[in-house]
Amino acid sequence: MEIIIMSTPADVGRVAAAKIASVVAKNPSAVIGLATGSSPLVIYTELKRRVDAGEISFAQARGFALDEYVGIPLEHPESYANVIARDVVVPLGFDPARVRVPNGRADDLESAAKEYDAAIHSAGGIDVQILGIGTNGHIGFNEPTSSFASRTRIKTLAPRTREDNARYFDSLELVPMHCMTQGLGTILDAQQVVLVAHGTAKAKAVAAAIEGPVSSFVPGSALQLHEHAMVVVDEDAAAELQLADYYRYTYANKPTWQFDL
Ligand code: PGA
């Protein structure tokens, strides 16, 4: 796992965006795993700057969102179909027909989840997966005790997650209780993963995921099993890392050729 500590959230976005951009530069029709939430916005902001500058294009790229709520209508401003359209597809110029979000409104949710996982596989798998991390250590909506072998499926949102996400809704009661999320096994199948976090609220989860034991109790710790996982955090989110100085030292001494891998 590569751990990079940057001074500010904007710097986090620049470093993580450079990884996504390098994947798309090598393969314009790359499959990108897209995350919602506040953390990845710094990545999308930097990618938009690159798109506007004519440095990269997502016109041929394909996208699969990590998760979706179950039980809110498609047109709800906080449905992840809408959030992905607003934060990613439109600003970055993806072809909407090439971006999928799990269907949390399907009559048969279980079949829809299986079909979504199969569609990722049929697309050749995810080349690079963008991730945030929840204050409880979740990635996607894989709440604590999610199986490391799990595939896309229905989960019950943890009370902590509903509280954290209540800021997007008029009240806690309006936050959906269930979701459809890529599983930890699905996420681990991605060729590369890039997790970003900023702010002190994430410091404990970041430290547990990176330096704690590999445990389904901290779903983010599954990334310790991934061959190509990059974690980019700001100083606040890095506050609980025991080996912070080592991570700074390795990044300061990173060989130039490794930046383009
Ligand atoms: P956030 O959510 O980026 O809005 O903090 C991250 C997550 O819950 O995975």
Side-chain angles (χ1 to χ4, degrees):
M1 190 182 286
E2 180 179 21
I3 298 136
I4 302 172
I5 302 173
M6 303 303 294
S7 309
T8 66
D11 293 330
V12 169
R14 269 192 284 280
V15 170
K19 170 58 77 182
I20 311 301
S22 103
V23 170
V24 174
K26 283 181 202 142
N27 174 13
S29 58
V31 181
I32 318 287
L34 301 165
T36 53
S38 54
S39 309
L41 292 178
V42 290
I43 305 181
Y44 302 137
T45 299
E46 169 63 10
L47 289 175
K48 177 165 169 38
R49 188 198 64 71
R50 286 172 176 250
V51 168
D52 291 347
E55 293 169 21
I56 45 166
S57 166
F58 289 93
Q60 297 302 316
R62 291 165 293 166
F64 284 91
L66 263 178
D67 44 22
E68 172 63 292
Y69 291 116
V70 167
I72 58 174
L74 182 61
E75 58 277 9
H76 191 290
E78 293 308 324
S79 78
Y80 283 175
N82 257 327
V83 174
I84 289 286
R86 193 168 65 225
D87 291 350
V88 183
V89 173
V90 171
L92 300 189
F94 274 86
D95 173 355
R98 294 167 81 82
V99 177
R100 285 197 57 179
V101 178
N103 182 2
R105 297 158 307 281
D107 291 335
D108 182 346
L109 289 166
E110 212 177 330
S111 300
K114 282 197 170 66
E115 188 276 327
Y116 192 77
D117 219 274
I120 293 173
H121 188 71
S122 302
I126 288 171
D127 292 296
V128 60
Q129 174 67 59
I130 298 169
L131 294 171
I133 187 166
T135 55
N136 66 355
H138 74 202
I139 52 174
F141 273 142
N142 293 282
E143 303 290 24
T145 71
S146 287
S147 163
F148 281 20
S150 53
R151 312 302 308 183
T152 304
R153 69 212 185 289
I154 303 303
K155 288 289 287 180
T156 304
L157 294 171
R160 176 101 174 255
T161 300
R162 294 186 66 238
E163 282 159 26
D164 286 348
N165 288 8
R167 66 192 193 276
Y168 295 114
F169 293 83
D170 289 338
S171 73
L172 178 59
E173 292 67 40
L174 294 175
V175 183
M177 189 63 75
H178 298 102
C179 64
M180 188 182 294
T181 180
Q182 285 188 37
L184 292 174
T186 318
I187 292 169
L188 289 175
D189 282 349
Q191 289 294 318
Q192 303 195 60
V193 299
V194 180
L195 183 147
V196 289
H198 35 87
T200 47
K202 299 295 173 68
K204 278 199 166 52
V206 164
I210 295 173
E211 296 179 336
V214 173
S215 163
S216 64
F217 195 69
V218 180
S221 69
L223 300 187
Q224 294 179 37
L225 300 172
H226 197 284
E227 196 178 1
H228 300 293
M230 173 189 262
V231 175
V232 194
V233 296
D234 74 348
E235 291 287 351
D236 287 341
E240 305 263 342
L241 290 170
Q242 293 179 50
L243 291 184
D245 285 345
Y246 171 66
Y247 309 138
R248 290 191 190 92
Y249 158 93
T250 47
Y251 190 62
N253 292 292
K254 184 169 174 170
T256 319
W257 59 268
Q258 275 192 340
F259 277 90
D260 211 27
L261 288 181

